């Protein structure tokens, strides 16, 4: 059916940077929009970024706009999230997810990668 | 933008039905039939249960159903089973190319 595998999480100091990657397999990657969703410890889900199939359309939540950059490489079946100027409140599990933007169905999720921002 | 409002917890006995509400505003739930629901078991990734308010992906049990009235969407689970014990999240398009999730509801099967 399809699989997503995130990587790149870890411990970073406030103000630092981290790059997350998500490898896709089992589906035609360049036919699907991709998103990142995060979940702070013990908290709910928060949508943070969207990228269309050809990277022509990109959206961000206000909480990360100007600090995070989503990108994709269709040749490598991967999507990335470059996170700069990290804050304590960015501590969360970060999920990449395949989405049908027209129906708002996040139908495939990765297992998540933990990002901890702490000094 | 604030999260959609869901009850923090609901509970029910096996075989019963429960309903989880998801209240937004005219800017999100009230304006778009783009509401989806997700089930998340502890330590696991979310799983889509419903999209476009009432549609079920293939493989999702018909015990899960959705509805919407005004600014409030709802998820009903009928014939509760022990495996339904999980966290549930609603999600809505919020205009301006943004998406908003609910705060989540913890379902306990007694």
């Amino acid at each position: 059916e399809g699989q997503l595998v995130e990587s790149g999480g870890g411990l970073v100091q406030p103000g630092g940077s981290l790059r997350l990657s998500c490898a896709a397999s089992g589906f035609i990657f360049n036919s699907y929009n991709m998103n990142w969703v995060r979940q702070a410890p013990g908290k709910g889900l928060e949508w943070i970024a969207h990228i269309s199939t050809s990277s022509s359309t990109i959206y961000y939540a206000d909480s990360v706009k100007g600090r995070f950059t989503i990108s994709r490489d269709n040749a490598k079946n991967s999507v990335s999230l470059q996170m700069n100027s990290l804050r304590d409140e960015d501590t969360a599990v970060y999920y990449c997810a395949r989405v049908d933007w027209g129906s708002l169905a996040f139908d495939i999720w990765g297992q998540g990668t933990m990002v901890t921002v702490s000094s | 933008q604030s999260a959609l409002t869901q009850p923090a917890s609901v509970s029910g006995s096996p075989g019963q039905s429960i309903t989880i509400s998801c209240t937004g505003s005219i800017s999100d739930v009230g304006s778009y039939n783009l509401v989806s629901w997700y089930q998340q078991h502890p330590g696991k990734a979310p799983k889509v249960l419903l999209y476009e308010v009432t549609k079920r992906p293939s493989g999702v049990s018909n015990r899960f159903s959705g509805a919407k009235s005004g600014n409030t969407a709802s998820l009903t689970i009928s014939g509760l089973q022990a495996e339904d014990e999980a966290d549930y999240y609603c999600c809505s398009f919020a205009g301006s190319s943004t998406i908003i999730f609910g705060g989540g509801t913890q379902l306990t099967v007694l």
Side-chain angles (χ1 to χ4, degrees), chain B residues 16-18 20 63-64 75-80 84 88 107:
Chain B
Q16 287 186 332
S17 294
I18 63 96
I20 299 172
R63 297 186 300 106
F64 296 94
L75 166 70
T76 297
I77 308 174
S78 59
L80 267 181
D84 298 332
Y88 292 83
L107 169 62

Side-chain angles (χ1 to χ4, degrees), chain A residues 57-111:
Chain A
T57 303
I58 290 174
Y59 307 125
Y60 298 101
D62 287 344
S63 58
V64 305
K65 198 174 296 182
R67 301 187 299 123
F68 291 11
T69 302
I70 188 172
S71 61
R72 65 188 294 162
D73 185 337
N74 286 341
K76 295 183 178 179
N77 289 351
S78 68
V79 59
S80 297
L81 187 69
Q82 176 66 41
M83 305 186 296
N84 299 330
S85 303
L86 283 162
R87 306 166 180 168
D88 292 349
E89 56 264 35
D90 295 318
T91 294
V93 174
Y94 285 73
Y95 295 100
C96 69
R98 189 180 86 170
V99 65
D100 178 342
W101 193 251
S103 65
L104 201 62
F106 292 86
D107 60 353
I108 298 178
W109 297 67
Q111 85 288 353

Side-chain angles (χ1 to χ4, degrees), chain B residues 1-109:
Chain B
Q1 191 165 12
S2 300
L4 303 173
T5 300
Q6 298 181 231
S9 63
V10 299
S11 62
S13 299
Q16 287 186 332
S17 294
I18 63 96
T19 297
I20 299 172
S21 62
C22 170
T23 301
S25 70
I26 191 64
S27 299
D28 38 66
V29 176
S31 290
Y32 308 97
N33 286 325
L34 293 175
V35 175
S36 50
W37 287 89
Y38 300 85
Q39 177 191 61
Q40 186 181 35
H41 287 104
K44 301 295 187 181
K47 170 191 172 185
V48 62
L49 297 175
L50 298 168
Y51 64 97
E52 291 184 49
V53 180
T54 61
K55 297 179 180 179
R56 275 188 309 274
S58 60
V60 172
S61 171
N62 59 10
R63 297 186 300 106
F64 296 94
S65 61
K68 192 187 89 167
S69 178
N71 298 337
T72 299
S74 60
L75 166 70
T76 297
I77 308 174
S78 59
L80 267 181
Q81 300 178 359
E83 67 207 49
D84 298 332
E85 187 160 293
D87 293 328
Y88 292 83
Y89 294 92
C90 61
C91 175
S92 175
F93 185 70
S96 301
S97 304
T98 59
I99 292 172
I100 187 169
F101 281 92
T105 297
Q106 183 176 48
L107 169 62
T108 300
V109 180

